[in-house]
């Protein structure tokens, strides 16, 4: 009898082989992947992940920045189960559904508000749903563009974005992106945008130091607006932290400064809080730190605690009103995804927001942020740690070949990946960004696990970069 090869393999080996046969992993050089033994996750609980061999790890990147309250959170599990018993999906195109309505109301309640009572028309009052961060950005771009078209500013067709920006992987989002290694090849497909300097103080483009620089990068942005504002529909930024660029934290005053420039030059502001939203920076939204209200606010990642894909683009009465008209005027926003306002995802999101209230997540986070910041100081002693950037529960540790000259490690060294694999041996799952070690656990992580996470990362950096012989 001819035996099927597969029969001799354990289930784990079968799955590993099938993964390599059938799956093309995102942001992954598959040639490297094929050489590896894939780590397959089967379960999660709290801030822990379990692999198929039964080994547990700390989830040090919140399953790519989406987990807030921990895995298998009972309230979220229950919300989805309850909703499944009613209906899993029905469209928002021409119909309403209960969870999407309740969630929209909740989102508007917690959205960033002006501290001084300003006109209602500039308050975030409307929610447009989609299903991932990139589409929430596409929607904001299209809304901003169409808004000016309706207003008769036909030349306002372009956007101003930042170098090192990341707004997602769809073509519009890539057009306003600024990470060369991801975006360069698609150049011929992209629409042209104006690019302002990234407020990357550690590697300041013009060699200045904060605060003596007086936010020089902001005056560069102003120069662009001064010359081109009549061609610019909106400025798009990741408020406070450029996440995918390696957790580049804005110097104080920069965010507020951007908002002031937008007002001064009559361009809209799109705040992409896909990464920073839902408590990541210590406040519900990063915009709150400098008390700004954008014209369009993009939300996703943490919105459902990583349970289901969901995104929302929030906007103002002013923008919404520009799309009102007789049907034949074609002022409608012709955009909508199949899964928009998905009831299961919205139910999960409602449960997540209720947990913020019930468990006082943000209040409890404060102590953990202090602990984290204190513990991070020790990393400065390491001989290859160039910069430590932190805002709330977003942290990036930039490894450098030479601390004095800030010379980066060459790409081919894959230094951060070596650290990540070392940490994995020690029971921690993290994922780097270039030469930056990202530390981004769920907000719900217990203090002792946070310390454990940092201890493992510190040891792993030391072992890899200092080649300690034991
Ligand atoms: C992750 C991310 C996106 C893209 O979200 P996806 O759900 O991966 O499409 C957009 N903007 C920012 C700031 C992000 O961090």
């Amino acid at each position: 009898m001819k035996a099927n090869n597969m029969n001799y393999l354990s289930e784990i080996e079968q799955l590993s082989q099938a993964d390599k046969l059938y799956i093309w992993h995102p942001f992954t050089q598959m040639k490297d992947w094929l050489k590896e033994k894939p780590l397959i996750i089967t379960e999660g609980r709290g801030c822990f992940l379990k692999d198929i061999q039964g080994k547990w790890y700390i989830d040090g990147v919140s399953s790519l920045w989406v987990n807030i309250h921990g895995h298998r959170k009972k309230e979220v599990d229950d919300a989805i189960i309850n909703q499944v018993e009613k209906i899993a999906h029905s469209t928002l195109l021409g119909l309403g559904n209960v969870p999407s309505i309740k969630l929209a109301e909740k989102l508007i309640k917690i959205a960033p508000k002006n501290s001084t009572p300003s006109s209602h028309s500039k308050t975030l009052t409307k929610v447009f749903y989609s299903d991932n961060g990139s589409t929430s950005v596409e929607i904001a771009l299209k809304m901003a563009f169409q808004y000016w078209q309706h207003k008769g500013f036909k030349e306002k067709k372009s956007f101003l974005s930042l170098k090192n920006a990341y707004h997602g992987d769809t073509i519009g989002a890539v057009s306003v992106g600024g990470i060369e290694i991801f975006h360069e090849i698609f150049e011929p497909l992209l629409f042209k945008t104006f690019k302002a300097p990234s407020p990357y103080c550690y590697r300041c483009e013009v060699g200045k130091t904060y605060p003596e620089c007086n936010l020089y990068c902001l005056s560069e942005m102003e120069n662009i607006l001064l010359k081109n504002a009549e061609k610019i529909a909106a400025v798009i930024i990741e408020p406070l932290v450029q996440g995918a660029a390696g957790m580049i934290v804005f110097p104080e005053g920069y965010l507020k400064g951007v908002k002031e420039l937008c007002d001064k030059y009559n361009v809209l502001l799109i705040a992409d809080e896909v990464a920073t939203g839902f408590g990541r920076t210590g406040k519900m939204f990063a915009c709150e730190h400098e008390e700004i209200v954008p014209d369009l606010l993009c939300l996703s990642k943490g919105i459902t605690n990583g349970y289901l894909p969901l995104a929302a683009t929030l906007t103002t009465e002013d923008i919404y009103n520009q799309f009102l008209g007789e049907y034949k005027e074609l002022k409608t926003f012709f955009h909508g995804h199949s899964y928009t306002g998905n009831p299961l995802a919205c139910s999960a999101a409602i449960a997540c927001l209720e947990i913020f209230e019930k468990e006082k997540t943000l209040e409890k986070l404060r102590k953990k942020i202090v602990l984290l910041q204190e513990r991070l100081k020790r990393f400065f002693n390491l001989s290859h740690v160039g910069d430590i950037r932190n805002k709330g529960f977003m942290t990036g540790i930039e490894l450098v070949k030479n601390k004095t000259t800030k010379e980066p490690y060459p790409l081919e060294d894959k230094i951060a990946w070596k650290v990540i694999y070392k940490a994995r041996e020690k029971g921690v799952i993290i994922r780097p960004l270039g030469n930056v070690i990202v530390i981004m656990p769920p907000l719900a992580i217990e203090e002792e696990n946070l310390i454990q996470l940092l201890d493992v990362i510190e040891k792993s950096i030391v072992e890899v970069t200092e080649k300690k012989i034991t």
Side-chain angles (χ1 to χ4, degrees):
M1 196 177 83
K2 237 171 148 190
N4 179 345
N5 239 352
M6 285 289 206
N7 289 341
Y8 300 114
L9 300 175
S10 70
E11 194 203 351
I12 299 175
E13 280 162 345
Q14 278 182 40
L15 283 165
S16 300
Q17 283 198 358
D19 179 293
K20 290 179 179 181
L21 263 175
Y22 300 117
I23 295 186
W24 187 345
H25 286 263
F27 280 96
T28 301
Q29 178 41 259
M30 293 307 292
K31 190 175 170 201
D32 292 341
W33 179 264
L34 294 177
K35 285 185 254 172
E36 278 172 33
K37 209 163 150 246
L39 184 60
I40 300 171
I41 300 300
T42 55
E43 274 180 55
R45 197 160 287 269
C47 67
F48 293 94
L49 298 169
K50 187 174 128 185
D51 77 11
I52 199 164
Q53 317 249 19
K55 183 177 169 185
W56 286 90
Y57 305 81
I58 296 178
D59 184 357
V61 281
S62 300
S63 297
L64 239 294
W65 317 359
V66 296
N67 197 291
I68 301 284
H69 303 298
H71 297 276
R72 287 304 314 277
K73 188 74 184 168
K74 187 168 186 322
E75 293 85 343
V76 190
D77 290 1
D78 289 347
I80 293 173
I81 293 164
N82 287 337
Q83 184 58 40
V84 157
E85 287 170 358
K86 298 193 182 90
I87 187 170
H89 187 64
S90 158
T91 183
L92 283 196
L93 277 71
L95 295 172
N97 74 56
V98 178
S100 68
I101 299 168
K102 290 189 173 164
L103 177 61
E105 190 176 4
K106 276 190 175 297
L107 288 173
I108 292 305
K109 277 214 177 94
I110 61 166
K113 304 269 184 308
N114 280 307
S115 52
T116 47
S118 75
S119 80
H120 176 65
S121 68
K122 291 286 187 187
T123 313
L124 297 166
T125 53
K126 302 290 179 210
V127 176
F128 194 99
Y129 287 113
S130 60
D131 45 33
N132 64 74
S134 308
T135 54
S136 76
V137 168
E138 298 288 340
I139 288 160
L141 296 172
K142 285 175 74 178
M143 278 181 179
F145 172 85
Q146 196 174 338
Y147 166 82
W148 290 114
Q149 293 301 304
H150 290 179
K151 274 185 91 129
F153 290 73
K154 301 284 185 203
E155 288 311 306
K156 278 184 168 294
K157 296 188 283 200
S158 195
F159 294 89
L160 194 165
S161 57
L162 297 187
K163 291 181 192 163
N164 293 321
Y166 179 80
H167 296 291
D169 299 330
T170 51
I171 291 298
V174 171
S175 295
V176 291
I179 299 183
E180 270 176 30
I181 59 164
F182 301 165
H183 299 154
E184 209 177 4
I185 185 149
F186 298 109
E187 227 275 326
L189 298 183
L190 309 178
F191 55 77
K192 291 268 175 291
T193 59
F194 296 94
K195 295 266 189 273
S198 162
Y200 187 6
C201 295
Y202 180 64
R203 295 185 187 280
C204 178
E205 265 183 41
V206 285
K208 294 187 184 283
T209 319
Y210 181 82
E212 291 77 41
C213 64
N214 241 323
L215 295 175
Y216 184 81
C217 44
L218 212 53
S219 57
E220 289 283 285
M221 181 183 279
E222 176 150 25
N223 283 337
I224 298 172
L225 288 166
L226 194 66
K227 290 191 205 116
N228 306 290
E230 71 279 5
K231 289 184 237 159
I232 296 174
V235 171
I236 177 166
I237 51 162
E238 298 158 80
L240 232 49
V241 186
Q242 288 192 297
M247 303 300 152
I248 295 172
V249 178
F250 291 4
E252 218 179 304
Y254 179 85
L255 178 59
K256 205 173 184 67
V258 170
K259 172 63 181 156
E260 284 163 4
L261 288 178
C262 289
D263 290 344
K264 183 171 169 189
Y265 291 96
N266 198 27
V267 299
L268 299 174
L269 178 63
I270 302 171
D272 174 359
E273 291 227 30
V274 170
T276 53
F278 301 102
R280 268 292 150 199
T281 64
K283 292 185 187 281
M284 190 55 95
F285 300 109
C287 287
E288 293 170 40
H289 288 271
E290 300 203 351
E291 296 180 334
I292 66 140
V293 179
D295 299 287
L296 292 136
L297 176 68
C298 305
L299 303 174
S300 188
K301 290 204 168 96
I303 194 168
T304 66
N305 203 36
Y307 271 61
L308 288 159
L310 180 70
T313 307
L314 272 55
T315 192
T316 61
E317 205 68 10
D318 177 34
I319 292 181
Y320 174 82
N321 283 338
Q322 282 302 325
F323 290 75
L324 301 179
E326 295 308 318
Y327 190 78
K328 62 171 197 279
E329 291 177 73
L330 298 179
K331 284 187 167 182
T332 305
F333 187 53
F334 290 108
H335 188 115
H337 300 282
S338 309
Y339 285 88
T340 184
N342 176 258
L344 288 180
C346 289
S347 309
I350 294 167
C352 291
L353 291 179
E354 285 169 355
I355 295 168
F356 269 104
E357 284 174 42
K358 197 177 78 187
E359 296 190 357
K360 301 192 166 37
T361 308
L362 293 177
E363 218 173 291
K364 280 192 204 148
L365 186 63
R366 263 179 242 146
K367 231 177 101 205
K368 287 185 249 185
I369 292 171
V370 174
L371 182 76
L372 169 68
Q373 288 169 342
E374 270 308 306
R375 181 63 185 72
L376 280 173
K377 286 180 188 158
R378 263 177 45 192
F379 284 74
F380 271 121
N381 300 328
L382 308 188
S383 50
H384 291 275
V385 167
D387 195 21
I388 300 171
R389 298 184 284 271
N390 165 272
K391 189 76 210 178
F393 245 36
M394 299 177 89
T395 304
I397 297 176
E398 183 165 338
L399 303 177
V400 287
K401 194 160 180 187
N402 185 319
K403 215 165 154 156
T404 323
T405 63
K406 302 185 182 176
E407 182 194 346
Y409 279 101
L411 212 59
E412 60 270 25
D413 277 15
K414 292 175 133 190
I415 193 78
W417 276 105
K418 289 177 186 153
V419 173
I420 265 78
Y421 286 125
K422 186 61 79 184
R424 201 176 279 186
E425 288 167 19
K426 301 178 197 296
V428 157
I429 289 182
I430 44 177
R431 185 178 167 89
L433 290 161
N435 291 333
V436 176
I437 305 292
V438 174
I439 309 174
M440 200 117 131
L443 307 189
I445 192 170
E446 300 286 342
E447 286 183 19
E448 61 175 308
N449 300 134
L450 179 61
I451 297 292
Q452 229 180 325
L453 170 67
L454 292 161
D455 284 347
V456 165
I457 293 174
E458 184 182 9
K459 277 198 202 102
S460 305
I461 294 176
V462 169
E463 284 176 30
V464 169
T465 62
E466 301 182 17
K467 299 218 163 46
K468 212 171 90 184
I469 295 138
T470 44

